[in-house]
Amino acid sequence: MSPRWEQSPDVRRGAHVAYNLHAHLVFVTKYRREVFTPEMLTRCEEIMRDVCTDFDAELKRFNGERDHVHLLVHYPPKIALSRLVNSLKGVSSRYLRREFTYQVNRNIMHGRFWSGSYFAGSCGGAPLAVVKRYIQQQRPGPVPGGWWGDSPTG
């Protein structure tokens, strides 16, 4: 390796690749129901961190409000982002509906937890520190009033 090459902790390496892929993901609850409590958000972060680990990805940042969550995920190029998203939403939905049955069943209809859609933004154009700061500055935990802007990108 050349001495001019400064190794970054964000650049990960495989046998034939060096990569630094980050995605900003936003998942919204079905019908924008405000179901998240601080305990549910904490558990949701734990679940999503475990799913990312199973995919050899890393959950760098997590934050949420009563009706949505933000994730900053560092993932390898061998993973299709859509597969990771499907696992994150599917696994978290099963665990949260099982562990917080009363809270979820009272507010979510038809056994669905997440909306079918999601936001995925590439973080390649913005410095990682800016995206991390953006996610950290979102109102932590459940806050009355719901969404903080007109679009998931703010």
Side-chain angles (χ1 to χ4, degrees):
M1 196 62 62
S2 169
R4 292 180 297 195
W5 177 264
E6 292 183 29
Q7 294 197 8
S8 167
D10 288 328
V11 175
R12 294 167 67 181
R13 289 168 182 74
H16 302 282
V17 65
Y19 61 92
N20 187 12
L21 301 173
H22 289 85
H24 174 208
L25 304 173
V26 181
F27 303 151
V28 178
T29 58
K30 187 75 172 175
Y31 305 122
R32 297 301 293 242
R33 302 281 191 203
E34 296 184 352
V35 297
F36 280 115
T37 64
E39 297 81 23
M40 286 179 72
L41 285 170
T42 300
R43 182 62 178 130
C44 187
E45 180 179 6
E46 293 169 359
I47 294 165
M48 291 188 173
R49 195 168 298 281
D50 291 343
V51 171
C52 284
T53 301
D54 292 344
F55 275 81
D56 196 28
E58 181 183 359
L59 181 59
K60 294 282 208 174
R61 292 285 185 267
F62 178 91
N63 204 340
E65 293 185 29
R66 291 191 56 86
D67 63 352
H68 69 278
V69 296
H70 291 266
L71 296 87
L72 179 62
V73 179
H74 188 206
Y75 64 99
K78 66 182 179 182
I79 300 299
L81 192 56
S82 60
R83 285 191 54 229
L84 177 60
V85 166
N86 287 340
S87 279
L88 286 166
K89 289 171 72 175
V91 172
S92 63
S93 174
R94 279 191 302 278
Y95 278 97
L96 292 173
R97 285 186 293 135
R98 184 178 66 205
E99 296 174 18
F100 298 93
T101 304
Y102 176 72
Q103 180 71 17
V104 173
N105 287 346
R106 188 181 66 178
N107 292 302
I108 302 294
M109 299 174 63
H110 309 296
R112 307 218 184 243
F113 189 85
W114 298 111
S115 166
S117 60
Y118 62 93
F119 170 80
S122 169
C123 299
L128 190 56
V130 172
V131 178
K132 287 179 180 178
R133 189 170 44 244
Y134 170 78
I135 291 174
Q136 286 176 333
Q137 289 173 350
Q138 299 306 306
R139 290 178 277 186
V143 176
W147 194 250
W148 41 265
D150 293 331
S151 71
T153 59

